[in-house]
Amino acid sequence: MRVYLDHNATTPLREEVLEGMLPFLREHFGNPSSAHNFGKRVREAVEEARERVATAIGARPREIIFTSGGTEADNLALFGVTNSPLASKRRKVVTSAIEHPAVIESCKALKKRGFEVVFLPVTPEGVVDLGAAEEAIDENTLLVSLMLANNEIGTLQPVREVAEMAKAKGALVHTDAVQALGKVRVKVEELGVDLASFSSHKLYGPKGVGALYVRTGLRLDPLLHGGHQERRLRPGTENAPGIIGFGLAVELAQEDLDRGMDRRIEALRDRLQRLLLERIPHVVVNGGGPRVPNTLNISFAFVEGEALTLSLDAEGVAVSTGSACSSGSLEPSHVLLALGLPPEVAHGSLRFSLGKDTTQEEVDYAAEAVASVVERLRAFSPLYEDFLRSELDLEQYLLRRKEET
Amino acid sequence: MMENFNYSQKVMEHFMNPRNVGEMEDPDGVGTVGNPMCGDVMRLYIKVEGDRIVDARFKTFGCAAAVATSSMVTEMVKGKTIEEALKISNRAVAEALEGLPPIKMHCSVLAEEALKAAIEDYLRRSKDEGDRRVQPSHKHPL
């Protein structure tokens, strides 16, 4: 059996989306900027896609700038604001400790350019600390960037509350909503944000395309310089097939949400969580409070994540890990460390992200496979041996580790 | 999140079916090395008769490469004299596994260090025992 539970990494392309894209990879090849009919036909389809994306997030079509994906949208937001004349008076950027690398690394680059950057801490549940936000956001703050849903643990962040704080101080607000769109309702007006990043391939659309919502009236500096496309904010001939696929994918994802697809997925996610907790002792569920319905992150203490994922891969189960061993860096995921987990527990974390086609049979099979793999690896983990000898339970162990550090 | 999966078949084979895995009763030397922060901790046990390592076992917390290098080093060390065992280098372990991805070479270093730590522990214990035979020691044997 092959079970794909890594939908936060990417999703398969929807059949209807592929069908909708194919004509624009074949006969409708024109450049949307061309004046002739070849171009006009494609222009119409690109603008239709823009409307679809705008409708899904409650924005106006003009406010949608198509990009090459979520990372570019994040970069355009952060550098577009900090390179603009708006940055002459305000020199501070506030973000969180659990952002996607596209935001974290951009913020580190801004720090090098002389901006003051504050990485807000999160609660042990994985939600940004509102008290710390209140303290950090001041009259010198140019931009606040807070993700809507965390990619690793799925926690929903209090974007609306933080946006209100920012507005009160005259700061702009960006949200990386890449992991939220298609999973929960996302309306930019309700959130009160000025900028929002989206990606197509997280919601059964093609890869290589995303969008940045830019509130009317906000003037950004472009990252790239060239033609007039995307209101000069993203010059270069449009990725028409990708954009058209993205538009269809967003619309279909919205229809799925309206039909209650999220509740079906949530029930399966909760079943997976329950099965794993029943079968496997000494685990931590990472991320509390409201989460996106498809994501489950669990630390299987005293085993290492890459060993887990490779063993599971051999059983046909595809998941991902926040362990460092697989990423080439030495430290485990910054998100899991920000939750206060000790490294030997953070290293044993797996992210299960379900999709619209995930079945109960798959969930049950995965739970069984995880249980047997964890058991095999723990049998030869020296840390597990030491833990069992200590006769502590995991809660006591975690407390003791916290006191040590 | 994952970047490097070009493990050799040998690494995968030793990871999926590790040799000499688990605790050892009454070992003559035990070495534990590594750091949970970096995601690997190895514990290696050896049994010595005369001057020869007659058995080796391990327990490892770590990635596939860490498990495979532990497994391989226990295979390599069996039947070797202490002197020969001390000459086993991390490169030799990596080579026996048909190579490791560059970012995983530290796992082979860890395997070499675990072996050295187990041998040092053995030497320390035998010295303690020798001392005790001459005059009773107040030291706790490890």
Side-chain angles (χ1 to χ4, degrees), chain A residues 81-288:
Chain A
V81 168
T82 52
N83 288 341
S84 81
L86 297 166
S88 61
K89 293 214 175 72
R90 293 171 176 246
R91 304 294 294 172
K92 187 173 177 182
V93 175
V94 176
T95 186
S96 86
I98 60 167
E99 295 299 309
H100 186 273
V103 169
I104 296 238
E105 295 303 318
S106 295
C107 284
K108 285 183 186 165
L110 290 173
K111 207 169 178 175
K112 280 193 191 143
R113 295 187 187 183
F115 282 90
E116 183 190 348
V117 178
V118 178
F119 293 95
L120 298 171
V122 296
T123 64
E125 281 74 42
V127 179
V128 77
D129 186 329
L130 284 173
E134 184 85 68
E135 214 168 288
I137 300 167
D138 58 15
E139 310 282 340
N140 188 35
T141 305
L142 174 63
L143 179 66
V144 179
S145 180
L146 179 61
M147 67 192 345
L148 190 49
N150 181 269
N151 50 313
E152 290 187 38
I153 57 176
T155 49
L156 290 164
Q157 301 300 315
V159 170
R160 195 193 321 195
E161 288 85 338
V162 169
E164 272 168 27
M165 289 177 195
K167 292 287 131 171
K169 303 286 182 186
L172 294 169
V173 184
H174 165 247
T175 187
D176 175 339
V178 165
Q179 291 290 352
L181 190 63
K183 299 189 178 100
V184 291
R185 182 186 162 88
V186 178
K187 298 288 174 194
V188 286
E189 285 287 331
E190 287 172 18
L191 291 170
V193 296
D194 303 287
L195 298 151
S197 305
F198 304 100
S199 171
S200 152
H201 75 103
K202 306 292 189 189
L203 40 91
Y204 310 94
K207 291 165 183 65
V209 58
L212 182 67
Y213 157 78
V214 183
R215 183 182 48 75
T216 301
L218 177 58
R219 295 182 74 94
L220 300 182
D221 254 34
L223 295 175
L224 304 178
H225 299 270
H228 59 89
Q229 294 91 345
E230 300 300 304
R231 294 171 39 220
R232 288 197 173 273
L233 273 174
R234 212 299 184 165
T237 300
E238 294 89 340
N239 169 12
I243 288 169
I244 290 157
F246 181 20
L248 291 171
V250 173
E251 193 172 82
L252 291 164
Q254 197 57 44
E255 284 172 20
D256 279 347
L257 267 183
D258 294 343
R259 276 202 299 266
M261 172 75 79
D262 51 333
R263 286 192 295 279
R264 192 192 78 84
I265 295 178
E266 186 168 33
L268 284 178
R269 188 271 311 270
D270 292 347
R271 179 184 176 90
L272 179 60
Q273 176 168 332
R274 182 170 56 76
L275 291 175
L276 291 171
L277 295 184
E278 272 171 18
R279 280 171 170 69
I280 311 172
H282 318 305
V283 304
V284 183
V285 177
N286 297 312

Side-chain angles (χ1 to χ4, degrees), chain A residues 317-383:
Chain A
V317 179
V319 296
S320 65
T321 174
S323 172
C325 270
S326 49
S327 67
S329 70
L330 284 176
E331 289 192 352
S333 137
H334 65 287
V335 175
L336 299 172
L337 290 181
L339 301 182
L341 289 179
E344 66 277 21
V345 178
H347 273 297
S349 74
L350 290 183
R351 176 186 70 185
F352 305 87
S353 46
L354 286 63
K356 68 182 179 65
D357 300 320
T358 303
T359 64
Q360 181 169 317
E361 195 192 0
E362 289 179 330
V363 160
D364 292 1
Y365 176 84
E368 208 53 59
V370 174
S372 76
V373 162
V374 169
E375 195 177 320
R376 175 179 99 86
L377 295 175
R378 275 183 177 167
F380 58 80
S381 164
L383 301 180

Side-chain angles (χ1 to χ4, degrees), chain A residues 12-26:
Chain A
L13 189 66
R14 257 179 129 120
E15 196 55 39
E16 308 97 296
V17 173
L18 174 64
E19 288 302 319
M21 289 170 70
L22 281 175
F24 296 90
L25 289 158
R26 291 189 178 127

Side-chain angles (χ1 to χ4, degrees), chain B residues 23-129:
Chain B
E23 229 164 310
M24 180 186 280
E25 297 229 337
D26 295 323
D28 296 313
V30 184
T32 303
V33 297
N35 179 349
M37 188 69 196
C38 307
D40 8 57
V41 176
M42 277 181 203
R43 183 169 294 163
L44 207 123
Y45 311 80
I46 52 171
K47 184 151 299 271
V48 184
E49 275 173 22
D51 191 27
R52 212 166 273 281
I53 297 173
V54 294
D55 198 10
R57 296 183 76 79
F58 80 92
K59 281 196 160 188
T60 288
F61 161 80
C63 61
V67 174
T69 52
S70 314
S71 166
M72 182 51 85
V73 81
T74 54
E75 281 289 271
M76 290 168 76
V77 79
K78 278 204 254 178
K80 294 231 168 31
T81 64
I82 294 292
E83 202 179 326
E84 287 163 347
L86 282 170
K87 286 186 189 143
I88 295 175
S89 70
N90 77 300
R91 296 212 160 269
V93 176
E95 269 162 34
L97 286 167
E98 292 164 3
L100 285 172
I103 61 159
K104 297 291 184 180
M105 278 307 283
H106 72 274
C107 294
S108 65
V109 174
L110 217 54
E112 181 190 324
E113 285 173 358
L115 173 60
K116 295 220 156 92
I119 291 174
E120 273 165 30
D121 181 47
Y122 160 73
L123 295 173
R124 195 165 46 238
R125 290 189 201 194
S126 21
K127 185 170 173 293
D128 281 353
E129 237 160 63

